[in-house]
Amino acid sequence: MSTLPTPAERLRSLLAAAGSLTLLVPGQRWDLVGAHRVEDGRILLDVPPRHIDTAAVLELTDVAPTPVRSRVRAKAVLGGWLAAHPGGGVALELAEAALQDPAYGRDAEVAVDPDEFAAAAPDPLAHVEAELLCHLSDAHPDAVDRLARLVPPHHLHGVRRIVPVRLDRYGVVLRLEFAGRARDVRLPFLSPLDRPEEAGDRMQELYARARCCHGGH
């Protein structure tokens, strides 16, 4: 069973959750705020139609909602050209996409096939991840301490702070912060969730497993 979203799923999730994007066309740059959406696998943009048939690049930076030292979780670049959308507006005809996310390898850049992007679905928690992570971090530090019992004890030597930094249908990721470095540890759910309403039950399953562990920090 997979414990990670595919790069295409991750990219769809980033676009679903992003409040802003940067659009680059020859000689012009836009910071788009609340001006994009994905429908039927196509990226629709609220931009002037005069740029149709123009080469374009979208840039996206994903920032952790919780207070950790290195907050950039992922970066993505999507290239193609702008075209008229049959339903009105402008669409980015995706030709190539690249994703940088430490989950797929430190400093690695993963290519995402446009057809795989179009077929992928965003994570069920993409729209609520930030809210759930901040609530867990701010309101339930004791729960974070319990989750840390699931981390192999040798990873906890010298740890100064533990903060939840990512949450998706496959599990929760804890950021272990040390004096001069950090490490992310994924705690997988017993089975991936399909709806946001299932997040509470999956977290309770993790807490139950943590109660059976004799570790800690």
Side-chain angles (χ1 to χ4, degrees):
M1 182 185 71
S2 176
T3 60
L4 277 178
T6 67
E9 290 170 338
R10 177 69 173 139
L11 187 54
R12 284 294 303 268
S13 298
L14 295 182
L15 282 165
S20 63
L21 302 171
T22 298
L23 174 64
L24 305 173
V25 299
Q28 195 160 0
R29 169 193 176 108
W30 281 294
D31 290 320
L32 303 179
V33 180
H36 78 279
R37 64 192 188 280
V38 180
E39 289 184 3
D40 299 324
R42 303 184 76 189
I43 304 170
L44 307 185
L45 305 170
D46 293 331
V47 298
R50 66 178 180 273
H51 293 286
I52 286 174
D53 297 328
T54 300
V57 173
L58 283 177
E59 296 179 347
L60 165 64
T61 299
D62 175 49
V63 178
T66 46
V68 290
R69 284 199 296 261
S70 299
R71 297 188 67 179
V72 174
R73 300 188 301 183
K75 293 183 178 181
V77 178
L78 305 95
W81 62 94
L82 301 180
H85 185 257
V90 177
L92 177 69
E93 295 291 344
L94 189 62
E96 58 184 359
L99 172 66
Q100 287 182 312
D101 188 323
Y104 304 106
R106 184 178 296 276
D107 299 324
E109 185 173 88
V110 181
V112 178
D113 180 80
D115 290 336
E116 292 181 2
F117 172 84
D123 191 90
L125 299 180
H127 291 290
V128 297
E129 181 202 17
E131 178 184 353
L132 293 176
L133 281 177
C134 289
H135 180 74
L136 177 61
S137 178
D138 297 340
H140 299 286
D142 56 326
V144 177
D145 288 340
R146 291 201 303 273
L147 290 174
R149 298 176 189 172
L150 295 171
V151 177
H154 64 277
H155 289 332
L156 296 172
H157 294 160
V159 71
R160 295 192 172 186
R161 193 167 71 125
I162 301 177
V163 185
V165 73
R166 184 177 295 187
L167 179 65
D168 56 40
R169 68 189 302 253
Y170 296 98
V172 60
V173 176
L174 300 181
R175 172 73 53 84
L176 312 182
E177 292 189 346
F178 302 86
R181 62 185 180 90
R183 179 189 187 121
D184 287 354
V185 176
R186 176 174 283 272
L187 306 178
F189 296 142
L190 292 177
S191 60
L193 58 80
D194 296 315
R195 296 178 292 109
E197 295 79 11
E198 298 172 4
D201 290 340
R202 294 298 191 279
M203 292 299 295
Q204 289 301 322
E205 291 170 355
L206 286 180
Y207 298 145
R209 285 159 52 193
R211 283 195 293 270
C212 300
C213 295
H214 300 286
H217 65 282

